[in-house]
Amino acid sequence: MRHWISVSAAALIAACSDAPGDDSAPTPAIESDPIAAAPSAQAGTLALEGRLEQGTECMVLVTPDGERWAISGEADNVTIGDYVEVFGEQAEASFCMEGQGTIIPSSIDTMQPPARDRDPARAGGIALTRAYVTGSWVAKGVDADCDRPDFQITAGQGDRLVIETSVNGTPETGRVALGNYPVIDWDDPLPDMPLESRGPDSLAVLRPATDARYDPVDVGGATIAGDGVEFVKCA
């Protein structure tokens, strides 16, 4: 998911510079890809977060929504596997040739991974598959009632997985996308909602990653906030 910040280059440089009198070391300089061409000045600045992976030619940033962005150059303050925040501009051309674009970064800094990005041990090593998610689900707790499930996930046309529920009291139908970063993909303007197993018998729906208008958000009568809500599958 792209996050565009409408700021000038001067404002960005000022924001990333040390404050007057600050003796702390600045973010280490980033050696730019000499073949990467910066875009025109009117283009916006990208602010993205995700985990760094090794690509074919360059480092690759994988966002929580599964987008892949090549990173031009190298930074000595981060390494493969780090969860980072990147500020920079999209290159018009680069030899990286991977992902949906190349970022010419002005800064890359490590940050604490959010709840939606945890190692497999958190989920008991259980991967989300079509068989795992298909069925009726109810929020875990003493009030769980499988006669009135909070949502249902069914197989749609082709490889589609369809979720039917209510969001903030309004009936909604969305798509469940699996893979490395499973999410519920709602129609706009609702933001994607990450999913993870809390294996071996539950599915967690996590709060939207970026949109404060939907935090917290109610799914099927359960308020999705904080570290998400666990649902259990009905027999």
Side-chain angles (χ1 to χ4, degrees), residues 160 162-165 170-175 185-187:
R160 289 175 59 88
V162 177
I163 180 171
E164 296 178 282
T165 184
T170 301
E172 293 285 351
T173 299
R175 184 177 69 92
D185 180 12
W186 304 109
D187 290 335

Side-chain angles (χ1 to χ4, degrees), residues 18-225:
D18 291 341
D22 185 357
D23 295 329
S24 62
T27 300
I30 298 168
E31 181 182 348
S32 296
D33 166 8
I35 307 179
S40 55
Q42 66 265 26
T45 297
L46 279 171
L48 297 169
E49 66 176 72
R51 196 166 293 280
L52 291 174
E53 294 183 359
Q54 183 58 58
T56 304
E57 298 288 348
C58 307
M59 287 193 301
V60 174
L61 179 78
V62 182
T63 74
D65 298 320
E67 292 185 355
R68 298 176 64 84
W69 291 84
I71 304 296
S72 172
E74 298 180 356
D76 58 11
N77 62 323
V78 296
T79 188
I80 299 301
D82 285 346
Y83 194 93
V84 301
E85 183 176 40
V86 178
F87 288 90
E89 295 183 327
Q90 183 175 355
E92 291 184 343
S94 172
F95 79 103
C96 294
M97 295 184 296
E98 189 168 359
Q100 55 198 88
T102 296
I103 301 173
I104 303 174
S106 57
S107 68
I108 305 178
D109 295 291
T110 58
M111 61 182 295
Q112 182 67 30
R116 64 185 180 276
D117 183 276
R118 301 291 178 88
D119 61 50
R122 171 188 170 94
I126 305 296
L128 293 182
T129 64
R130 291 176 64 87
Y132 190 104
V133 303
T134 301
S136 299
W137 297 82
V138 63
K140 188 175 182 179
V142 295
D143 296 327
D145 183 2
C146 280
D147 289 334
R148 302 180 62 185
D150 293 310
F151 61 82
Q152 291 182 310
I153 298 177
T154 57
Q157 186 176 8
D159 293 333
R160 289 175 59 88
L161 287 169
V162 177
I163 180 171
E164 296 178 282
T165 184
S166 64
V167 177
N168 292 340
T170 301
E172 293 285 351
T173 299
R175 184 177 69 92
V176 175
L178 302 179
N180 291 333
Y181 294 91
V183 296
I184 302 174
D185 180 12
W186 304 109
D187 290 335
D188 290 337
L190 290 176
D192 293 347
M193 300 185 71
L195 298 171
E196 68 180 19
S197 63
R198 297 275 174 90
D201 59 356
S202 66
L203 176 68
V205 178
L206 309 183
R207 65 186 178 87
T210 59
D211 199 328
R213 294 176 301 168
Y214 300 97
D215 186 12
V217 61
D218 183 290
V219 173
T223 299
I224 313 297

